Amino acid sequence: MDLKESLGVSASGLRAQSLRMRVIAENLANQDSVANTPGGTPYRRRVASFTAAVDRATGATGVKLNSIQTDKSDFTRVYQPGHPAADRDGYVLKPNVNGLIESADMKAAQRSYEANLNAIEAAKSLTMRTIDLLK
């Protein structure tokens, strides 16, 4: 794999993890939101999924977005009869976002992002060392 291919693979990984972190941040931002109408549905957690993609020009395998899907797990029901979003039984639906899971996913995405940055830095360093040897 040459420099251009390795940089392309790492760059696709950076884009993927950046998108993943944006989706996770959106989930965290909406973890306490409720529906606008009584008995309505609140924010539903979103999850980004990725797939391998072959660059036809270089033959290198990178990463591309497959889809951003909503999590179909159940909402949490909390008894708050005076709340404007409560249904007629007094329950408010809360988003299906778990802050601990989102935080762990965010940490994993950050680590993957850092790994791709380190791969780019290593390729750059090896190239600079090769140029120095050719002087």
Side-chain angles (χ1 to χ4, degrees), residues 3-61:
L3 177 64
K4 183 178 177 184
E5 291 173 1
S6 64
L7 291 177
V9 170
S10 294
S12 73
L14 288 174
R15 284 189 297 273
Q17 296 308 322
S18 177
L19 175 69
R20 183 177 168 203
M21 286 188 278
R22 274 185 263 148
V23 170
I24 293 168
E26 181 181 318
N27 289 340
L28 286 169
N30 288 296
Q31 73 180 346
D32 292 324
S33 64
V34 293
N36 293 332
T37 59
T41 58
Y43 175 82
R44 191 171 283 278
R45 178 179 185 249
R46 296 173 55 189
V47 180
S49 64
F50 302 95
T51 186
V54 177
D55 183 358
R56 294 179 194 258
T58 63
T61 303

Side-chain angles (χ1 to χ4, degrees), residues 19 64 71-72 79 91-92 96 109 126:
L19 175 69
K64 73 171 190 169
D71 183 355
K72 301 295 182 190
Y79 185 69
Y91 287 95
V92 176
N96 59 347
L126 289 173

Side-chain angles (χ1 to χ4, degrees), residues 122-135:
K124 177 183 157 191
S125 175
L126 289 173
T127 303
M128 294 306 294
R129 289 174 74 188
T130 302
I131 291 171
D132 287 343
L133 288 173
L134 294 174
K135 288 182 181 179

Side-chain angles (χ1 to χ4, degrees), residues 83-131:
H83 196 281
D87 61 11
R88 59 186 159 163
D89 296 328
Y91 287 95
V92 176
L93 292 178
K94 297 285 186 167
N96 59 347
V97 177
N98 183 331
L100 291 175
I101 291 172
E102 298 302 323
S103 296
D105 285 349
M106 181 68 84
K107 185 55 98 175
Q110 287 172 335
R111 297 286 185 194
S112 295
Y113 191 90
E114 289 172 12
N116 283 300
L117 280 177
N118 288 337
I120 290 172
E121 186 60 37
K124 177 183 157 191
S125 175
L126 289 173
T127 303
M128 294 306 294
R129 289 174 74 188
T130 302
I131 291 171

